[in-house]
């Protein structure tokens, strides 16, 4: 008896380091496979160069859906299928124009996603510049008949560029409604760019409210915004000409792309992983979100290649329409809720494919602390991945997650410095992605997925 | 008495968090100044675009010295001066050539730094491919009269690219001597590139030993190396033509560039900070090491701009000739030793200007643990700088540091993924540097410099 007890004590006291050693060895295999044989970068090349940008409802979006499905079918998933999603299709129309009236000076603009068109002949009006929408009230009747230009500069001093983005992004979505309420005839919004010397306009979603006039809404580049501000200081009566022809084209049938790898021990418990497959209709949707889709797919391929058999069912989801409606994640959540599924964890990747830094975690403080203690040491020194902090899940996980408040969620974080230089612009192209950085991120995601599958039960 | 004691207890118990709050506020100011008003990026543009590459002993190197001195003189240093350094000047001569004999196929090569020339008519010989120099012995007399090609692929799976570099770099420096000993007539070395699909050759220093023939030594691109290997598999008798005209041009008088900011409390105690100002003679020496010199200078400017007064003397050193002789750091060390200076800490930046990750620290395990505990939390969450690990100082600090074994040394680490794609190549140009990443690194270095100046005494 004593011997058995001793043996048990030894076994228990050794188990933690032994597991850690096994995990550490597995992570090294994952990194090796990803760097040497990873396919995310080559798949990304196809997605960005052969398909290109893919706004929800467009033929290119459907091409991306079918091609993604065929990619998944090449791997040893147990099931690959499309989930029907209806999306509203917005079309940019012809190239937008912004010209300082009485000059030939053009300013770089892009319609915000969802914007209505100007009248066919364009709009010509004086411009009221404010820093914040909340300043509008003090201008009162001055707003009437004007183009309102919200020119809040990006808070450049933050390394946390997502925080800087959050400081201004509400002005983009609420702008057209707030301006229209006061009789403004168009909305011009300083682009959410992390660089003040950026002459590329950044698009992104905005919204209207029933019962309030829908007015045209455009983004102006940071350089264009600075220039316009200078012109207005010289002559506050300066008139601006704006023209865009964008419009909503109605409902289009589209799809989420889903693949399942059945769990060997707990097949009814699901780990969701993925990101959105749609993009804005400029650039190539490389970092937003080609890297997130091709990266999560390749993370699973990596585990498959290593002969791994998951304990829980791993479900890969490429969501449709994150950018201007989140219809894909709404639909995913509805169906999962209806079926009363048990989704125990989620991993999302939608913050770029730069050098991997870690994961924001939506979980209790205790669970986050446990993850920091147990998993962070496996990544930190050897693989330079060290950020395991309490934070928000991705947009799609956040949306369907409303039905699943207890699901532990992880949001992949790549280095934040450059993301918002490229985000929603013509610059978000394949060439802005580095293979080593991308495959390093794939390895980090695959490693996390492995650890979640192996150990998430300890958090339940 | 009791009240006084209570007040003391309160004061003592509050002091740590109060200091931490002050430090935290100072770091935020530093980051703000660096992102909004930082000059490293603009100075780097001048160094790379107006001056360009600057190998030790070249007119461009001296132009960089004088221009750097003028930059330092614009700031409020107490002293700016040049320190005489004699360097051996190596000149690449005309563009190198490598051609597969009997074909028109050219392979991309660059002479390794310090290489002697081939005969004027070039060299034509069979090629002996080995993976490692240590394999040479088993080939014995086969080596005689051959071009020896060391084709050890880069270990791609390591995120720690500096470790991968270290695995192969000894083969570069020892190659010519080992090959010449066995009668080989030229040395061809697979470039130290982190990408197997890189067709740019990477130069770098090699060396000869007196009494052993000096044979030409060239780097071949990774793609070229793979190609040559394939050709040799087809026909092991393939002959290769090599030609280079590089040569040592004798001794040139050059300089370290030094500036001193006098300490208010302990002016005789010195914190050295800096990096090397020379570069290889390809590309523009942007990440190696324009970012390190312009970055450390701008870190000091940042503190000056904030009205900081250092406790210890801060000495900025731009070392000459790190790349092919380390004469600058040798000279700096000799003089500091002669003067019996008290150098309490050193910071070096010579590992790129990508997103800042942290600092390798040469100090006792206890001191490293103290730094991790005290300083890491100031950086980690807000500024995404989290790596404070025991490690080697930079090359220059390491060389002069032999005279100063107790100096605590910090080696700035930027993200390692892409550095060895660019290192010592034509691709190491200004465009490969991102302003936000660079200025974020400047802020990290300035923050560390501030903390070292404020608190290093606690480690003594």
């Amino acid at each position: 008896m004593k011997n058995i007890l001793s043996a048990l004590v030894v076994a228990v006291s050794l188990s933690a380091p032994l597991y850690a050693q096994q995990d550490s060895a597995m992570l090294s295999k994952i990194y090796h496979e990803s760097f040497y044989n990873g396919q995310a970068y080559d798949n990304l090349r196809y997605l960005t160069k052969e398909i290109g940008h893919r706004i929800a409802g467009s033929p290119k979006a459907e091409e991306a859906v079918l091609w993604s499905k065929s990619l998944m079918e090449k791997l040893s998933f147990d099931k690959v299928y499309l989930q029907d999603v209806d999306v509203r299709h917005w079309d940019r129309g012809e190239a937008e124009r912004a010209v300082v009236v009485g000059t030939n000076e053009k300013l770089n603009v892009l319609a915000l996603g969802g914007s209505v068109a100007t009248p066919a002949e364009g709009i010509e009006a004086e411009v009221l510049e404010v820093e914040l929408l909340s300043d509008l009230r003090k201008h009162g009747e001055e707003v009437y008949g004007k183009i309102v230009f919200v020119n809040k500069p990006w808070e450049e001093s933050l390394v946390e560029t997502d925080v800087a983005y959050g400081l201004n992004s509400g002005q983009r979505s609420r702008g057209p409604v707030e301006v229209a309420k006061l009789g403004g005839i168009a909305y011009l919004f300083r682009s959410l760019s992390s660089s003040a010397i950026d002459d590329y306009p950044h698009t992104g979603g905005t919204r209207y409210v029933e019962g309030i006039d829908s007015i045209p809404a455009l983004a102006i580049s940071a350089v264009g915004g600075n220039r316009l501000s200078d012109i207005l200081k010289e002559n506050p009566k300066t008139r601006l000409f704006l023209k865009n022809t964008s419009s909503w084209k109605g409902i289009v049938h589209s799809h989420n792309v889903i693949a399942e790898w059945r769990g060997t021990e707990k097949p009814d418990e699901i780990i969701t992983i993925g990101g959105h497959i749609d993009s804005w209709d400029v650039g190539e949707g490389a970092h937003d979100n080609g890297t997130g889709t091709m990266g999560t797919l390749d993370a699973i391929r990596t585990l498959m290649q290593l002969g791994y058999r998951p304990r829980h069912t791993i479900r890969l989801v490429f969501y449709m329409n994150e950018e201007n409606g989140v219809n894909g994640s709404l639909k995913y959540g509805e169906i999962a809720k209806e079926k009363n599924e048990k989704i125990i964890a989620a991993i999302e990747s939608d913050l770029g494919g730069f050098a991997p830094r870690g994961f924001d975690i939506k979980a209790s403080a205790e669970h986050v602390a446990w993850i920091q203690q147990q998993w962070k040491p496996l990544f930190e020194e050897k693989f330079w991945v060290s950020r395991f902090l309490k934070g928000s899940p991705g947009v799609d996980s956040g949306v369907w997650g409303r039905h699943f408040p207890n699901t532990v969620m992880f949001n992949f974080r790549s280095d934040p410095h450059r993301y918002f230089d490229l985000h929603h612009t013509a610059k978000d192209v394949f060439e802005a992605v580095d293979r080593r950085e991308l495959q390093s991120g794939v390895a980090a995601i695959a490693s996390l997925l492995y650890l979640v599958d192996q150990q998430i039960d300890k958090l339940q």
Side-chain angles (χ1 to χ4, degrees), chain A:
Chain A
M1 184 65 170
K2 196 181 161 208
N3 282 347
I4 292 174
L5 268 179
S6 300
L8 271 174
V9 169
V10 169
V12 169
S13 62
L14 281 178
S15 64
L18 272 181
Y19 275 121
Q21 280 172 31
Q22 285 170 11
D23 291 339
S24 183
M26 182 63 177
L27 264 59
S28 290
K29 284 183 201 164
I30 288 170
Y31 273 80
H32 192 279
E33 172 62 23
S34 183
F35 278 119
Y36 276 102
N37 305 317
Q39 299 177 0
Y41 189 69
D42 287 337
N43 286 337
L44 180 69
R45 182 188 286 115
Y46 190 94
L47 178 66
T48 53
K49 293 297 176 195
E50 300 298 322
I51 299 178
H53 58 64
R54 47 203 176 276
I55 195 167
S58 67
K60 285 293 186 182
E62 211 52 20
E63 189 180 338
V65 161
L66 297 176
W67 174 76
S68 295
K69 181 165 176 279
S70 76
L71 271 187
M72 294 177 193
E73 285 166 344
K74 285 179 193 157
L75 301 181
S76 49
F77 284 107
D78 296 283
K79 196 156 89 172
V80 176
Y81 59 100
L82 300 181
Q83 188 171 62
D84 291 333
V85 179
D86 283 346
V87 300
R88 292 177 69 206
H89 176 48
W90 179 77
D91 183 78
R92 182 172 300 282
E94 294 157 28
E96 301 84 344
R97 293 184 65 207
V99 185
V100 180
V101 174
T103 75
N104 285 323
E105 184 158 358
K106 291 177 189 163
L107 302 170
N108 284 338
V109 295
L110 272 182
L112 287 173
S115 177
V116 297
T118 57
E121 68 277 16
I123 279 175
E124 188 185 309
E126 285 180 20
V127 179
L128 175 67
E129 177 183 344
V130 293
E131 183 165 297
L132 292 168
L133 286 174
S134 54
D135 298 336
L136 276 184
R137 284 184 204 140
K138 60 186 174 214
H139 289 282
E141 291 184 1
E142 248 187 293
V143 177
Y144 190 83
K146 299 255 172 60
I147 297 167
V148 169
F149 167 37
V150 166
N151 191 27
K152 170 85 173 151
W154 180 272
E155 176 53 56
E156 289 183 49
S157 70
L158 299 177
V159 174
E160 300 157 300
T161 48
D162 54 314
V163 173
Y165 181 75
L167 290 175
N168 292 12
S169 62
Q171 311 277 318
R172 186 179 75 201
S173 52
R174 291 187 292 107
V177 169
E178 298 298 321
V179 169
K181 277 182 191 167
L182 294 170
I185 60 166
Y187 183 57
L188 192 59
F189 175 69
R190 182 192 178 93
S191 288
L192 294 175
S193 169
S194 48
S195 165
I197 55 167
D198 179 0
D199 204 11
Y200 285 78
H202 295 222
T203 189
T206 191
R207 67 186 180 81
Y208 301 112
V209 170
E210 222 171 292
I212 297 170
D213 278 355
S214 297
I215 60 174
L218 294 94
I220 185 167
S221 71
V223 164
N226 292 339
R227 175 70 186 137
L228 180 58
S229 188
D230 287 345
I231 291 169
L232 291 170
K233 278 185 196 81
E234 283 278 312
N235 175 14
K237 295 287 178 190
T238 299
R239 294 172 73 80
L240 191 68
F241 170 83
L242 285 178
K243 185 176 174 188
N244 75 300
T245 62
S246 58
S247 59
W248 286 102
K249 297 291 186 189
I251 304 295
V252 174
H253 297 297
S254 187
H255 308 90
N256 293 327
V257 194
I258 304 183
E260 292 183 4
W261 190 15
R262 192 174 164 83
T264 52
E265 293 177 32
K266 300 181 173 182
D268 295 337
E269 298 189 8
I270 297 161
I271 301 166
T272 287
I273 178 171
H276 69 86
I277 185 69
D278 63 306
S279 79
W280 282 110
D281 58 342
V282 287
E284 296 168 357
H287 280 285
D288 187 13
N289 185 28
T291 53
T293 45
M294 298 304 106
T296 49
L297 172 67
D298 201 41
I300 294 174
R301 184 205 60 78
T302 301
L303 293 179
M304 288 177 171
Q305 184 61 35
L306 293 174
Y308 185 69
R309 300 295 311 275
R311 298 177 62 231
H312 309 85
T313 290
I314 293 172
R315 180 189 282 163
L316 177 66
V317 187
F318 288 179
Y319 306 92
M320 179 49 67
N321 195 32
E322 186 264 356
E323 296 292 10
N324 56 349
V326 292
N327 295 39
S329 44
L330 285 168
K331 189 60 172 282
Y332 178 76
E334 277 166 29
I335 292 177
K337 174 74 177 169
E338 264 173 37
K339 293 188 176 171
N340 199 24
E341 289 184 339
K342 188 167 182 189
I343 306 184
I344 58 169
I347 301 172
E348 181 165 334
S349 175
D350 182 23
L351 286 167
F354 300 99
R357 303 301 302 270
F359 298 88
D360 289 345
I361 308 168
K362 184 193 150 295
S364 69
E366 291 71 22
H367 286 171
V368 173
W370 185 88
I371 290 164
Q372 283 175 352
Q373 193 184 29
Q374 299 291 321
W375 295 352
K376 183 174 169 177
L378 292 167
F379 288 91
E380 185 166 26
E381 187 162 345
K382 191 167 177 185
F383 303 118
W384 294 63
V385 171
S386 60
R387 199 170 174 92
F388 292 82
L389 295 175
K390 195 168 169 67
S392 301
V395 171
D396 284 307
S397 299
V399 165
W400 64 253
R402 289 172 202 154
H403 300 297
F404 297 86
N406 297 322
T407 303
V408 177
M409 294 185 162
F410 299 86
N411 195 14
F412 174 67
R413 300 301 306 267
S414 77
D415 191 88
H417 287 86
R418 289 178 288 150
Y419 184 66
F420 289 102
D421 277 349
L422 309 175
H423 183 251
H424 296 184
T425 75
K427 285 185 291 186
D428 185 13
V429 295
F430 178 70
E431 291 75 8
V433 179
D434 177 75
R435 185 183 185 278
R436 276 192 78 75
E437 292 188 353
L438 178 60
Q439 295 294 159
S440 193
V442 167
I445 292 168
S447 297
L448 182 81
L449 179 58
Y450 159 79
L451 291 169
V452 167
D453 183 50
Q454 286 288 311
Q455 300 179 25
I456 192 76
D457 302 348
K458 297 183 184 174
L459 295 185
Q460 290 171 336

